[in-house]
Structure formats: C-alpha cells, structure tokens
Amino acid sequence: SSDMAEQISINNLSGDPLDISFFQYANFDLGGVPAGDTVVFTNPNTVRQSKGLLHLTETVLTPVSSHREADLFPTTLTKLSDGLPTTLSDTPLIGQSLGPGDVTWAFQWDVTVSPNSTFQISKDKKLNVIPIPEPAGACLLLTGLLFSAALRTRRKCK
C-alpha cells in the first residue's frame, strides 16, 4: 500500500477579493489498463476507484468540495476543457457505483479568496492491494498438509 498527502495553496496577492472555481480531475488506469475500473463517492469528500484487488482512495480533508463528478472518459474532461463555465454534476449519488469502464472523477471548489490571503486544500491519497497467497506458497502448504496426512495414515495402519 502507499499513502500520499497533498496540499494545494491558492494565494490572492491582490487587494481585491478573488472569486475562483478550482477543479481537480483524475484519470487513473488501475493495473495499467483503462477498462474495467469502478468508482464510487463513499461520502461528499471521499472517492474510491477499484479494479480487482487494487483500490485507490482519495479523501479531501479540508474543505469539502462544492461539487464532484464521476463519469466515463472523456465526458468530464470535455466539460472542463471546452472553454465554457463548468459546474460538476454531483453524480453519481453518494454510495452509487459507476463502471466498470474507463472511469474518471473530479472535485470542484467555488470560493472567494479574501485580499492578501490564502485558500488551502488538504487531501490524502491511498493505494491498497488486497494481498492473496502466492501460488507457490499455497502449493507448498498443500503439499505439507498432504504429506502430514499420509504419515498419520501410515502410522495408524501399522
């Protein structure tokens, strides 16, 4: 497993309030293959992407985003790069999965940064692999159990 903390700072160096919409877009291909992933927002500030034994989780520690969206590639990317104002759709609903497919997801923060101040976002990303026994180890264990059973049977026969 791995864990990465991320801090984003937006500084307003002017003397006027700054209205911004900040987007974070993610397109992870778990296992190196774009197809077959699923994604779910487990709560308003946590998203989990999965494929088989791989699970990537991102949690926004502070502040909770204004909007979020998960969709199949390239739907969200097209919205973000068309040059028009964008508001993410808040879909799918919390707890509903999307996929399997080439899934992407995004968070949006709409804020007014006060003059000469900073807006900060704190996030945490985790990648986990559910461990499974190595095939050679499982075969060795099975061989040992069979050998032990054979010895017990042989001793009972004498």
Side-chain angles (χ1 to χ4, degrees):
S1 68
S2 64
D3 193 345
M4 179 175 70
E6 182 178 3
Q7 293 281 332
I8 300 166
S9 296
I10 301 170
N11 299 313
N12 180 0
L13 303 177
S14 76
D16 297 319
L18 176 65
D19 292 326
I20 64 163
S21 290
F22 180 80
F23 298 88
Q24 179 234 334
Y25 171 79
N27 183 358
F28 292 101
D29 296 331
L30 299 181
V33 179
D37 291 9
T38 59
V39 67
V40 61
F41 289 99
T42 58
N43 61 51
N45 63 325
T46 302
V47 62
R48 185 180 68 232
Q49 185 174 339
S50 303
K51 177 188 288 177
L53 301 175
L54 297 172
H55 300 278
L56 175 107
T57 304
E58 179 162 311
T59 301
V60 178
L61 303 174
T62 58
V64 174
S65 63
S66 306
H67 300 283
R68 59 177 173 70
E69 179 174 303
D71 214 324
L72 298 176
F73 178 81
T75 305
T76 303
L77 181 60
T78 300
K79 288 167 71 172
L80 293 172
S81 56
D82 65 5
L84 300 171
T86 299
T87 299
L88 298 178
S89 66
D90 296 323
T91 58
L93 298 175
I94 301 295
Q96 281 188 339
S97 292
L98 172 71
D102 186 3
V103 297
T104 65
W105 45 271
F107 287 110
Q108 173 182 350
W109 290 266
D110 298 318
V111 297
T112 300
V113 183
S114 299
N116 300 307
S117 65
T118 301
F119 172 70
Q120 289 192 318
I121 300 169
S122 298
K123 300 188 298 169
D124 187 56
K125 286 184 176 74
K126 293 182 182 182
L127 178 64
N128 294 308
V129 178
I130 298 173
I132 58 170
E134 176 186 346
C139 287
L140 183 60
L141 178 62
L142 182 59
T143 301
L145 290 173
L146 291 174
F147 182 70
S148 176
L151 283 177
R152 243 184 267 134
T153 304
R154 187 173 177 207
R155 286 184 186 151
K156 287 181 183 178
C157 290
K158 287 184 177 182

